Amino acid sequence: MNKPVLDVKDVPSFGQLVTLSLQHLFAMFGATILVPYLVGLSPAMALISSGLGTIAFLIVTKWQVPAYLGSSFAFITPIIAAKAAGGPGAAMIGSFLAGLVYGIVALAIKKAGYRWIMNLLPPIVVGPVIIVIGLGLANVAVSMAMNGPDGKYSLTHFSVAVVTLAATIMFSILSRGMFSLVPVLMGIIVGYVYALAVGVVDLSGVAKAKWLEMPDFLLPFVHYDVRVTLDIVLLMVPVAIVTLSEHIGHQLVLSKVVGRDYIKEPGLHRSIFGDGLATMISALIGGPPKTTYGENIGVLAITRVYSVYVLAGAAVLAIAFGFLGKVTALISSIPTPVMGGVSILLFGIIASSGLRMLVDSKIDFGDKRNLVISSVILVIGIGDAVVKVSEQFEVHGMALAAITGIVLNLILPGRPKVSDSVFEQKHDVA
């Protein structure tokens, strides 16, 4: 670890605080607003809930873990399915329950240690499930990129997606410093400018919007009735399997970047509970589920500024942005093919990160056990297989794939032992 410019508890000057917090805001911005854009939630609520969730996380982890929490891509398909089944309120109830699972897991880790969860979620299970998340969304990205508002193929709209994708790739590969950390945001900006030039942007909403405006909160008992059903539980809760593994990986990477063992102090149970609390807070106000962001860990690694006050500053800025009507309207005016262009790369990266987990963990596919587990997960997940016992009991797609993978890993002979030192496991920033 290089010597930090600002350590975890160091207080930056006002100028440093504003500049460095903006860097973190920009790093998470593109991905965080993409999720609500895809599932039909408010981008403003995504920003506000990410800020509130990050502050809650920092408090729970005793202001020791410099992490930012943004919208989780793992919940995109389940949220869409939950909304189709019971409206936005059903998606929020499912998100809250998923966050509650985090709390239960955190309590179990506090009482029994963390090795049991590593046995439950080894790379041979988590890697293919992550691949399913990315490839399962491929049709969504391509449809957004190719089709116009009428749902039919449009060469003009497709050209917007291609320009956006090309710009995002160029910033990802060729840029240096902070620009290399915000390729999604830069790709959206370039795509938006091109979309303006070819006339597919509607700015009327921006002109009508006020500078200060109340965002679209989605509150339980106010905007929807709270009713927990088995189908909502089965749609949303199993996704926590994937995001828990993602969380553990990020904590390991963050520990190496900052030079502190966050698994032991403040403890994995605290960081998992903080992540779950952020998701529950988000669900209570109408935002998507939360997860720690690899993009912001990348900012920490490059700047060597680990101050939790900088992350808190980014959270405050995100909350403020959510109440700026002009900003929200500008986000809403981003054409669908622009988001489709960046989605092609982002969803592919999600799938590739699953492959990378398998490669880094040195999974031997000459071993029939590994081949069977990964093959079954991939086909069940991407094929959107369904187990439907009744109208009230249904498990499908990614949730069914994850559950099947866990069961196969537990019952098939030859299961490898988890290393005594969790730091010997290889994890990378997603």
Side-chain angles (χ1 to χ4, degrees):
M1 184 197 72
N2 294 321
K3 184 178 179 181
V5 175
L6 287 173
D7 211 345
V8 175
K9 291 297 182 72
D10 289 346
V11 180
S13 67
F14 180 77
Q16 288 176 318
L17 179 64
V18 173
T19 303
L20 296 170
S21 294
L22 279 171
Q23 286 182 151
H24 278 284
L25 181 72
F26 291 149
M28 67 85 185
F29 196 89
T32 291
I33 65 169
L34 178 58
V35 174
Y37 190 97
L38 292 173
V39 302
L41 295 175
S42 165
M45 291 315 306
L47 290 173
I48 292 170
S49 60
S50 77
L52 292 175
T54 297
I55 291 172
F57 178 88
L58 293 173
I59 292 171
V60 169
T61 55
K62 302 191 291 188
W63 298 92
Q64 293 182 22
V65 183
Y68 195 93
L69 280 71
S71 305
S72 173
F73 281 79
F75 285 91
I76 290 174
T77 301
I79 287 177
I80 293 172
K83 285 184 66 182
M92 294 302 101
I93 293 168
S95 298
F96 184 90
L97 294 174
L100 196 60
V101 169
Y102 274 70
I104 296 170
V105 171
L107 181 61
I109 291 174
K110 181 175 174 60
K111 296 295 183 183
Y114 57 76
R115 286 196 63 190
W116 67 270
I117 196 170
M118 303 303 293
N119 272 305
L120 197 65
L121 299 171
I124 188 56
V125 173
V126 177
V129 172
I130 292 174
I131 294 171
V132 167
I133 295 172
L135 296 185
L137 292 166
N139 285 338
V140 175
V142 172
S143 177
M144 291 172 64
M146 292 195 311
N147 299 330
D150 57 359
K152 297 180 180 179
Y153 178 83
S154 167
L155 182 60
T156 300
H157 285 76
F158 193 35
S159 72
V160 173
V162 170
V163 169
T164 304
L165 176 60
T168 308
I169 292 172
M170 294 292 285
F171 278 104
S172 297
I173 302 298
L174 301 178
S175 58
R176 295 292 181 268
M178 283 305 303
F179 281 115
S180 66
L181 297 171
V182 290
V184 174
L185 178 63
M186 298 308 298
I188 289 174
I189 291 173
V190 172
Y192 191 88
V193 171
Y194 177 79
L196 278 170
V198 296
V200 297
V201 178
D202 181 8
L203 291 173
S204 59
V206 180
K208 295 176 183 176
K210 300 176 183 177
W211 279 106
L212 288 177
E213 202 166 88
M214 184 62 69
D216 297 323
F217 285 94
L218 189 61
L219 305 175
F221 303 108
V222 177
H223 299 111
Y224 59 90
D225 295 326
V226 175
R227 190 165 62 92
V228 178
T229 60
L230 186 59
D231 56 341
I232 295 300
V233 171
L234 294 175
L235 271 173
M236 301 288 289
V237 170
V239 184
I241 295 169
V242 181
T243 51
L244 279 167
S245 179
E246 179 184 37
H247 176 93
I248 293 169
H250 282 169
Q251 289 305 297
L252 292 172
V253 174
L254 191 59
S255 294
K256 293 175 183 178
V257 169
V258 179
R260 287 170 169 79
D261 188 349
Y262 287 130
I263 304 300
K264 294 180 179 178
E265 181 60 38
L268 185 61
H269 63 287
R270 279 188 172 271
S271 63
I272 285 179
F273 179 68
D275 204 333
L277 181 61
T279 294
M280 288 188 281
I281 290 172
S282 183
L284 288 174
I285 62 175
K290 296 294 172 276
T291 185
T292 49
Y293 259 26
E295 293 92 331
N296 295 89
I297 297 175
V299 174
L300 294 172
I302 285 185
T303 62
R304 291 184 290 119
V305 174
Y306 311 139
S307 173
V308 290
Y309 299 103
V310 171
L311 276 303
V316 171
L317 288 174
I319 294 169
F321 267 48
F323 286 92
L324 294 177
K326 292 285 187 184
V327 173
T328 303
L330 189 63
I331 294 171
S332 298
S333 73
I334 298 173
T336 299
V338 170
M339 289 305 200
V342 296
S343 295
I344 289 173
L345 180 61
L346 278 176
F347 297 160
I349 287 174
I350 291 170
S352 297
S353 68
L355 287 172
R356 184 172 181 174
M357 175 179 286
L358 295 172
V359 171
D360 287 346
S361 301
K362 299 181 180 178
I363 299 299
D364 180 13
F365 284 100
D367 184 337
K368 291 182 180 179
R369 182 182 189 277
N370 292 333
L371 191 63
V372 166
I373 293 173
S374 60
S375 299
V376 172
I377 290 173
L378 289 171
V379 174
I380 286 177
I382 297 174
D384 199 23
V386 178
V387 171
K388 190 172 184 179
V389 178
S390 67
E391 290 298 325
Q392 288 74 36
F393 187 89
E394 180 179 311
V395 188
H396 65 89
M398 182 173 56
L400 181 59
I403 294 169
T404 304
I406 289 174
V407 172
L408 287 175
N409 178 63
L410 292 176
I411 65 174
L412 291 180
R415 178 158 53 100
K417 293 182 179 179
V418 175
S419 170
D420 287 335
S421 172
V422 75
F423 282 95
E424 292 178 14
Q425 305 290 331
K426 291 189 176 182
H427 293 266
D428 293 281
V429 179

